[in-house]
Amino acid sequence: MPHFPAPVVSRLPNVGTTIFTVMSRLAQECDAINLSQGFPDFNAEPELFDRVHHWMKSGANQYAPMAGCLPLRVAVADKVAALYGTLYDVEHEVTITAGATQALFTAVAALVHPGDEVIVFEPVYDSYGPAIELAGGKVVRMGLAAPDYRPDWSAVAAAIGPRTRMIMINSPHNPTATLWSAEDLDQLAALTAGTGIVVVSDEVYEHIVFDGVLHRSCASHPGLAERSVIVSSFGKTYHITGWKVGYVVAPRALMAEFRKVHQFNVFTVNTPVQLALADYMADAQRHLGLAAFYQAKRDHFRAGLAGSGFELLPSAGTYFQLVRYGKLSTLPDTQFCDWLTCEVGVAAIPVSAFFADGRDEGVIRFCFAKNEATLDAACDRLRRLGGCRA
C-alpha cells in the first residue's frame, strides 16, 4: 500500500467519522434494525422513476445550467410563493444544489470570512461547525436544553457582536424534532434588523410538521426573507435521500456570492433528475400530503414504544423521535446506543454527538421514516427492555 512520505496537517484536527456513518456501520455489523441514520427504507412513487427514465431516454444527459434546470427552478419558486408568499426570481434567486449539505457548506464558504463569528443552536447538525471552521470562522454555540429545546433569546442577544456575520438555524430541527414559532422568527428578525448578519435557514424538513401546525419559513417573514439563505431538500421530501438534490433560495446579492462558490465546488447537478423532479412537483399534494404521511408513522411508532421503558419526548416535526432511557440504563448515551445496537438489535443515535463538548443528557434519537413492518419489529425488540437494565 502506498504511504504518504510527510506529516499531514489536518484542517479539521478534531473531526472524526460522522456518527451517522458509525452507527449505520455498527447496525450492519450487528444485523440490527437501523433506526439511527435518517433515511427511509421505502421507495418513492414509481412515477418519479419513470420521469427520470423518460428524460434519460430523451437525451437530457449533458450538463445542466450552473444554477439548475429552468423548469425545476420555476417549480421551486412557484412552491415557495404558494406556501410562504414570497416570490423569488428564478434567474437570480433560486439555485439547485447537490443536496442540502452542499448547500449549507457553500453558503458558509461564500459568506463567512476569517475571524467572522457564526451563531449556531446546539444540539446542532454535525456539518455546520466544520463548514464554519474551514471558512476561518468562529463557531458561537447557543444551547437548547432538554426537554423543550427552546432558544434563549436573551442569550442570543448577548452573543451578537460586531464580528457576528451569520446565524444558522434549523426548523423543523434535527435532532430534537422541535419547531420554531412565529414568535421565534420575530425575535430573530428584531435582533438582526439594521445589521449585515446573514441568516442561513436549514428547512429540509419543511413539509414534515405535525398536529396541524404550520411550518414557519424565513421566506414567510419579510424581515428575514431579505437576509436569509434558505435551504431545502428533495431527498427528504420525496424519499430519495441517495439522489442528493436540494435547492437554495436567497436575495439576489446573497445568491450571487453563493453561486460564485457553487460553480466551483459542484458546478451543476445531474440533468435528468432535475427535469424529473420538475415534472413531479406539478402535483402539489405530493409535498402537501407529507405531514399526514409521517404523522401516521410517528403515532404508530410512539404507540409501539408503549411499555418499552423509554420516556418519549415531543416530536413536532421531522421524522425523528427523541427518548430518554434513564429507567433502563445508567450508561452514557454513546455506550447505551452501542449496547442497544449489538445486544438488542436496534440502532439509534446518541444526542451527545450533536454537542461539541459531548454533553450527555441521557437522550437518544430514533428515525421512524420506515415501513410499519420495520417499526413493528424494532418496537417488539425495544419493548423487551421493560424488565431489564443495561
Side-chain angles (χ1 to χ4, degrees):
M1 295 177 64
H3 177 72
F4 186 66
V8 176
V9 180
S10 176
R11 294 286 308 280
L12 295 170
N14 299 316
V15 172
T17 304
T18 175
I19 189 65
F20 309 110
T21 297
V22 169
M23 295 310 301
S24 285
R25 183 170 56 219
L26 186 62
Q28 187 173 24
E29 291 171 355
C30 296
D31 195 26
I33 297 170
N34 189 357
L35 303 189
S36 60
Q37 194 168 3
F39 62 85
D41 69 346
F42 46 84
N43 259 334
E45 292 180 328
E47 184 175 346
L48 181 54
F49 306 136
D50 292 342
R51 296 313 297 166
V52 175
H53 184 251
H54 163 79
W55 287 111
M56 286 180 170
K57 296 288 285 185
S58 297
N61 299 300
Q62 308 311 321
Y63 291 126
M66 181 268 288
C69 293
L70 181 59
L72 186 54
R73 283 183 281 139
V74 169
V76 167
D78 288 347
K79 185 196 79 166
V80 172
L83 290 177
Y84 309 126
T86 298
L87 183 61
Y88 288 88
D89 173 16
V90 298
E91 203 57 46
H92 301 289
E93 298 179 332
V94 182
T95 300
I96 308 304
T97 64
T101 301
Q102 181 252 314
L104 293 163
F105 183 93
T106 300
V108 172
L111 297 165
V112 173
H113 297 258
D116 285 346
E117 295 182 353
V118 181
I119 292 174
V120 302
F121 292 85
E122 198 177 48
V124 62
Y125 188 67
D126 65 354
S127 76
Y128 295 10
I132 296 162
E133 291 170 2
L134 286 170
K138 177 184 177 182
V139 183
V140 178
R141 302 173 188 275
M142 298 285 101
L144 304 173
D148 57 354
Y149 297 104
R150 305 310 310 168
D152 180 343
W153 289 110
S154 61
V156 177
I160 292 175
R163 306 203 75 163
T164 305
R165 172 59 172 165
M166 180 179 287
I167 299 176
M168 300 184 75
I169 69 173
N170 174 208
S171 179
H173 186 257
N174 177 18
T176 68
T178 55
L179 305 176
W180 278 30
S181 66
E183 181 183 358
D184 289 323
L185 294 190
D186 287 342
Q187 292 272 14
L188 180 60
L191 290 178
T192 55
T195 75
I197 295 172
V198 175
V199 173
V200 172
S201 185
D202 179 351
E203 302 184 17
V204 298
Y205 299 100
E206 62 176 317
H207 302 300
I208 310 177
V209 292
F210 306 136
D211 305 312
V213 178
L214 294 176
H215 167 58
R216 303 291 179 177
S217 173
C218 284
S220 67
H221 195 294
L224 293 175
E226 67 182 11
R227 68 176 62 251
S228 293
V229 177
I230 299 169
V231 177
S232 194
S233 164
F234 296 111
K236 300 297 191 298
T237 301
Y238 297 132
H239 322 310
I240 48 170
T241 61
W243 290 15
K244 294 301 293 178
V245 184
Y247 67 82
V248 169
V249 296
R252 182 170 180 168
L254 296 180
M255 188 62 81
E257 297 305 309
F258 180 94
R259 288 181 179 178
K260 289 178 183 178
V261 176
H262 172 79
Q263 68 185 339
F264 294 119
N265 73 355
V266 169
F267 178 57
T268 191
V269 178
N270 76 85
T271 304
V273 163
Q274 289 194 58
L275 295 171
L277 286 166
D279 293 342
Y280 195 71
M281 288 181 70
D283 182 354
Q285 190 54 38
R286 288 173 172 141
H287 57 262
L288 295 177
L290 201 62
F293 174 80
Y294 273 120
Q295 182 168 331
K297 290 186 179 295
R298 178 201 67 172
D299 294 347
H300 186 89
F301 184 56
R302 288 173 67 92
L305 287 177
S308 66
F310 289 108
E311 177 190 347
L312 304 178
L313 275 61
S315 175
T318 74
Y319 42 55
F320 301 119
Q321 174 66 59
L322 294 192
V323 300
R324 284 175 165 154
Y325 61 87
K327 295 179 181 178
L328 300 168
S329 177
T330 58
L331 288 174
D333 65 352
T334 299
Q335 292 180 33
F336 180 75
C337 284
D338 290 347
W339 175 84
L340 195 68
T341 303
C342 295
E343 301 300 326
V344 181
V346 180
I349 294 288
V351 172
S352 64
F354 297 88
F355 289 95
D357 62 2
R359 185 183 318 159
D360 184 353
E361 298 179 318
V363 179
I364 64 175
R365 191 198 79 176
F366 291 117
C367 172
F368 55 79
K370 310 295 177 183
N371 283 304
E372 278 67 19
T374 304
L375 296 176
D376 289 344
C379 288
D380 182 60
R381 297 180 184 187
L382 294 170
R383 282 195 301 271
R384 298 174 197 168
L385 292 172
C388 67
R389 291 182 63 86

